Amino acid sequence: MTSTDQQPFLSIKDLKVHFSTEDGIVKAVDGLSFDLAKGQTLGIVGESGSGKSVTNLTILGLHDAARTAIEGEILLDGKDLLTASERELEQLRGNKMSMIFQDALASLSPYHTVGTQIAETYRKHTGASKKEARDRAIEMLRRVGIPQPDTRVDDYPHQFSGGMRQRAMIAMALVCDPELLIADEPTTALDVTVQAQIMDLLKDLQQEFGTAIIFITHDLGVIADIADDVLVMYGGRCVERGTKKQVLSTPDHPYTLGLLNSMPSLDGPVDVPLTPIPGSPPSLLNPPSGCRFHPRCTFAEKVAGDLCSTERPGLEVIDGRGSSCHLTAEQKQELFADFAATRHH
Ligand SMILES: Nc1ncnc2c1ncn2[C@@H]1O[C@H](COP(=O)(O)OP(=O)(O)OP(=O)(O)O)[C@@H](O)[C@H]1O
Ligand SMILES: [Mg+2]
């Protein structure tokens, strides 16, 4: 047993990612902490601009270092990625950790065949021969369900359909059996059938390889399908986290409640009216003081004094479950009761 067996596989501690721009400092991520164990899937959900992609690009070390101030810790298997050299990160990317994006065309080069791109990723990290790497590419294409992989391996990305390109990108991301896979809205652009196939594929591959997955999405239905744990982000911070069941069935933060009420129930009655969250996401150039959600929160007036607008609520996490809100547990129980009555499942 090594000392790292005690630690979660991935541990993010008080991460801050601030960009300097012409208009000022954008606090894209502002004090975010979470853990992820091997073989588990963490779903990250939150409105556009809440810092989901920035968090994950920072894990991979894919940020513009000159204009970015980063604080905190990102421990992968005990190693702090924020103090790692570019060379070390380069070694880890594609090998120990890899990422799939929404747009496969943007991450595949149009000038090289799909097979070459997968094979070269493999060769770079393993030193395999060209022949071995090509065989491996064919094997990966077969695994992700590309028909006739031994001929399609020589196709260029534009000869693949959108769904096939997404599979090819997954094949490339998984060719070195990464222990951490970050999937940033990987199925958003696909039709529902292909989306379901890709989700099944990821689940199968996770079973087989024990990969830890971070899955970023706007879609709580997708979260319900794939995640073990859920992290809800708002304005660069975590407002709530817990197991999928905890967060989706008994939300403990007004923002999570708002998200759930703004989408059709996952398996409850279909005639419950949908209520969008009023207002729009905060500016991260000049974010609201106190709780970042308070200007849009329908419950802020229930909290004594001006606590919501002056003090950042703490995030007390017990056994992986926690939320950051000034309401008391009793208040939440009472105020959120309607949700439980109409949608609880
Ligand atoms: N390089 C950058 N320079 C300045 N601001 C940035 C930079 N990258 C991201 N941002 C800002 O950081 C915030 C968080 O962006 P991010 O891309 O993480 O959001 P997101 O949660 O992934 O949203 P979406 O769901 O739309 O993908 C946004 O306000 C964005 O404009
Ligand atoms: Mg994003």
Side-chain angles (χ1 to χ4, degrees):
M1 199 188 244
T2 65
S3 60
T4 54
D5 288 339
Q6 274 39 274
Q7 307 169 336
F9 176 57
L10 174 70
S11 183
I12 311 282
K13 293 187 180 143
D14 204 15
L15 180 67
K16 294 188 178 145
V17 185
H18 293 182
F19 299 108
S20 0
T21 69
E22 278 181 12
D23 301 321
I25 308 282
V26 176
K27 295 178 180 168
V29 180
D30 206 27
L32 179 71
S33 304
F34 65 86
D35 292 338
L36 177 61
K38 276 206 173 124
Q40 293 282 299
T41 301
L42 174 74
I44 302 187
V45 68
E47 283 166 306
S48 191
S50 55
K52 304 180 300 293
S53 295
V54 168
T55 301
N56 288 289
L57 290 170
T58 308
I59 295 173
L60 291 163
L62 295 176
H63 48 270
D64 168 8
R67 294 191 308 120
T68 317
I70 304 181
E71 281 176 37
E73 270 181 4
I74 300 178
L75 299 174
L76 183 72
D77 229 354
K79 179 168 185 56
D80 190 350
L81 300 184
L82 292 182
T83 56
S85 68
E86 185 45 42
R87 213 167 147 258
E88 286 174 304
L89 286 172
E90 183 82 15
Q91 232 343 281
L92 292 171
R93 275 197 298 264
N95 191 14
K96 198 164 174 100
M97 54 183 182
S98 62
M99 185 149 178
I100 50 179
F101 299 92
Q102 179 173 344
D103 182 4
L105 263 190
S107 40
L108 293 169
S109 158
Y111 307 114
H112 302 277
T113 63
V114 170
T116 308
Q117 297 182 57
I118 300 173
E120 282 311 308
T121 305
Y122 189 60
R123 267 163 62 79
K124 178 172 155 195
H125 292 289
T126 60
S129 72
K130 283 200 162 157
K131 166 84 176 69
E132 285 164 341
R134 182 184 162 83
D135 289 347
R136 173 79 178 171
I138 294 169
E139 163 64 15
M140 288 309 295
L141 289 175
R142 177 174 297 117
R143 269 237 182 83
V144 298
I146 301 287
Q148 284 109 39
D150 33 6
T151 51
R152 300 307 297 252
V153 68
D154 294 321
D155 281 358
Y156 288 86
H158 70 264
Q159 294 171 283
F160 274 26
S161 71
M164 283 166 71
R165 278 196 291 266
Q166 208 68 14
R167 285 163 195 266
M169 185 170 51
I170 295 174
M172 191 156 89
L174 295 176
V175 68
C176 296
D177 298 337
E179 291 166 82
L180 173 65
L181 177 69
I182 297 175
D184 194 345
E185 310 249 13
T187 58
T188 310
L190 305 173
D191 68 57
V192 282
T193 320
V194 182
Q195 180 171 337
Q197 289 167 354
I198 301 262
M199 303 288 280
D200 285 344
L201 170 68
L202 285 176
K203 283 187 249 178
D204 288 350
L205 294 167
Q206 179 174 49
Q207 284 264 308
E208 196 176 335
F209 298 112
T211 323
I213 299 181
I214 296 180
F215 199 101
I216 303 173
T217 178
H218 287 101
D219 187 340
L220 287 167
V222 170
I223 293 273
D225 182 29
I226 202 169
D228 297 299
D229 292 330
V230 182
L231 175 85
V232 184
M233 285 190 74
Y234 188 84
R237 295 175 176 170
C238 167
V239 291
E240 169 160 13
R241 61 193 237 220
T243 64
K244 170 173 72 183
K245 188 159 178 17
Q246 287 168 334
V247 174
L248 299 186
S249 303
T250 54
D252 198 47
H253 192 283
Y255 176 63
T256 315
L257 191 77
L259 275 184
L260 285 163
N261 281 334
S262 65
M263 63 166 279
S265 178
L266 302 172
D267 53 5
V270 288
D271 53 351
V272 177
L274 303 182
T275 330
I277 302 175
S280 40
S283 150
L284 298 176
L285 262 177
N286 192 6
S289 55
C291 169
R292 288 195 172 165
F293 186 57
H294 87 264
R296 300 172 72 189
C297 184
T298 38
F299 303 120
E301 65 200 37
K302 308 277 181 195
V303 174
D306 53 4
L307 211 52
C308 295
S309 59
T310 55
E311 229 174 88
R312 175 179 179 174
L315 180 69
E316 197 190 346
V317 179
I318 300 166
D319 287 339
R321 163 68 155 170
S323 75
S324 100
C325 177
H326 289 302
L327 289 169
T328 64
E330 293 72 33
Q331 281 179 311
K332 280 187 274 195
Q333 209 165 26
E334 194 192 319
L335 296 167
F336 296 3
D338 279 352
F339 172 83
T342 49
R343 307 173 49 109
H344 196 57
H345 37 264

